[in-house]
C-alpha cells in the first residue's frame, strides 16, 4: 500500500494528530535534511487530506431554515458566509 492510500484511510483526527507531530518534529530542527523533506511531504499530504475531509463535512452540514414567523420550515445547505 502506498503512502497516499495510507493517508486516505486515516480519520480526520488521526491525520491531524500526525500532522501536529510532524510540525513539532520539523520545528525542533533535529532531523537530517532528507528526513525533513520526507516529513514535509507527508505533512503536505496530510494537510490536503484534512482539508478535503473538512470540505466534505461542510458540504453535508445542513441548517434549519425558519419561516417569517420563526417556525421551522425545513433544511437548507450550510452557508459559511
Amino acid at each position: 500500500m502506498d503512502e497516499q492510500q495510507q493517508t486516505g484511510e486515516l480519520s480526520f483526527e488521526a491525520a491531524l494528530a500526525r500532522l501536529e507531530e510532524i510540525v513539532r518534529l520539523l520545528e525542533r530542527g533535529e532531523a537530517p535534511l532528507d528526513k525533513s523533506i520526507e516529513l514535509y511531504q507527508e505533512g503536505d499530504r496530510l494537510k490536503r487530506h484534512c482539508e478535503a475531509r473538512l470540505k466534505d463535512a461542510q458540504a453535508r452540514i445542513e441548517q434549519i431554515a425558519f419561516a417569517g414567523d420563526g417556525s421551522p420550515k425545513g433544511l437548507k445547505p450550510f452557508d459559511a458566509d
Side-chain angles (χ1 to χ4, degrees):
M1 179 180 315
D2 71 8
E3 293 171 349
Q4 285 194 330
Q5 283 179 314
Q6 290 175 342
T7 299
E9 294 175 3
L10 290 174
S11 69
F12 174 82
E13 293 79 9
L16 185 58
R18 176 62 181 149
L19 183 55
E20 290 171 344
E21 179 183 355
I22 288 170
V23 169
R24 283 192 298 275
L25 290 169
L26 290 173
E27 285 180 339
R28 286 200 311 248
E30 297 172 359
L33 179 60
D34 288 341
K35 181 64 175 175
S36 293
I37 292 169
E38 288 175 23
L39 288 169
Y40 180 85
Q41 290 171 331
E42 181 183 357
D44 184 56
R45 281 191 306 277
L46 290 164
K47 176 186 158 287
R48 287 185 276 120
H49 173 72
C50 288
E51 287 173 341
R53 297 291 300 261
L54 284 173
K55 185 176 180 180
D56 180 53
Q58 185 176 11
R60 294 183 317 196
I61 294 173
E62 295 179 320
Q63 294 178 326
I64 298 173
F66 294 95
D69 65 358
S71 64
K73 69 174 186 177
L75 299 174
K76 65 180 182 178
F78 175 78
D79 182 13
D81 295 328

